[in-house]
Amino acid sequence: MTAPRGISEGRSGNAIWAVLPIKTLSAAKQRLSGQYAAAFRRRLALTMAEDVLSALTAVTSLAGVMVVTCDTEAAALARHHGVRILQPEADAGHTDAVMMAARVLADEGAEGMLTMPADIPLVTPDEIAQLIATRRPAPSFTIVPAHDRNGSNAILSTPPEVVPLAFGDNSFAEHCRRVRALGLEPRIVISPGFGLDIDHPADLERLMARRGNTATHRLLRAEAAAGQLPEATRQAAL
């Protein structure tokens, strides 16, 4: 893989950095494609990333935030929030994007890396700060599973490369297995804001059942009012 181009101010420092991979938005949320148009899926992905970035940039205990993306619109969103950008030459998968960032942060002497997906719009600054504050001394590994205990919706690794990561189906169990194989015990945290990732139509209904005023809530309410959503999601949104 060609070396990435980074945009940053200074070096990472000996602290926790957050890493947010954002894939090319035109390919986002393919598992929603049966019911939702491509233009809506793109808007949804970018809006959820806005919510997650807003939460991350409000956490004062983070040394900084790094977005890994080659999507121009996602990079513009990152610049708007004043965060660091790591740009692969081509769209990297979730695992490759996170491990690329982990290598950069390890080389720069970061204490640890917190990574999460860009599709958990309910996550709050307080949840993120609490996760960081209660980490164990290095080497350590903290993980927050998705609501179905399939995916890994937050991982805090100290140091950044303490465990090779592998995202995808059943990644929560696989990450726990890898950590234990190294003689460490993963710290497992259940957190409602982290837990709800948006992959399937039913996840949008779960999101709207939890009332709020995130940018994602506002987008869905507007789309529902305009009659642009399937009936089940529209009813949940209104």
Side-chain angles (χ1 to χ4, degrees):
M1 181 177 293
T2 305
R5 300 185 301 274
I7 300 174
S8 66
E9 295 294 332
R11 296 177 68 80
S12 68
N14 186 26
I16 305 297
W17 273 72
V19 169
L20 186 69
I22 304 177
K23 71 190 311 182
T24 301
L25 294 176
S26 61
K29 298 293 132 195
Q30 291 297 313
R31 281 178 281 189
L32 295 176
S33 61
Q35 297 187 39
Y36 299 87
F40 169 77
R41 299 198 310 272
R42 183 182 183 90
R43 288 195 302 275
L44 175 66
L46 191 64
T47 303
M48 291 192 294
E50 165 71 32
D51 282 327
V52 177
L53 271 174
S54 295
L56 284 169
T57 54
V59 179
T60 59
S61 54
L62 282 169
V65 178
M66 177 189 292
V67 167
V68 186
T69 190
C70 64
D71 186 274
T72 56
E73 201 169 358
L77 176 66
R79 291 189 185 93
H80 174 75
H81 281 273
V83 304
R84 184 175 181 179
I85 303 170
L86 196 62
Q87 293 179 288
E89 294 293 342
D91 198 16
H94 192 117
T95 298
D96 287 344
V98 172
M99 293 310 296
M100 180 188 300
R103 289 191 295 273
V104 170
L105 293 174
D107 287 346
E108 295 179 353
E111 176 187 344
M113 176 185 71
L114 170 65
T115 185
M116 61 186 72
D119 64 351
I120 50 172
L122 294 181
V123 70
T124 67
D126 286 345
E127 285 176 301
I128 299 168
Q130 180 68 13
L131 192 70
I132 296 168
T134 57
R135 70 187 184 278
R136 294 170 179 162
S140 69
F141 188 90
T142 300
I143 186 167
V144 183
H147 65 93
D148 58 5
R149 287 202 163 228
N150 187 341
S152 307
N153 281 10
I155 289 175
L156 176 54
S157 303
T158 58
E161 294 184 291
V162 66
V163 177
L165 302 180
F167 295 93
D169 288 342
N170 207 31
S171 69
F172 170 64
E174 175 62 16
H175 283 132
C176 290
R177 185 196 67 77
R178 291 185 179 203
V179 173
R180 292 179 176 125
L182 294 175
L184 300 173
E185 184 61 28
R187 177 172 175 264
I188 299 170
V189 175
I190 305 302
S191 185
F194 279 108
L196 182 58
D197 53 332
I198 306 301
D199 284 323
H200 304 283
D203 296 327
L204 288 171
E205 296 162 30
R206 292 187 184 97
L207 172 69
M208 296 311 296
R210 293 167 62 175
R211 297 295 174 179
N213 195 37
T214 67
T216 305
H217 279 99
R218 295 193 296 273
L219 170 68
L220 291 171
R221 286 196 292 263
E223 293 284 327
Q228 299 301 310
L229 298 180
E231 182 63 19
T233 310
R234 191 181 72 83
Q235 291 295 332
L238 293 176

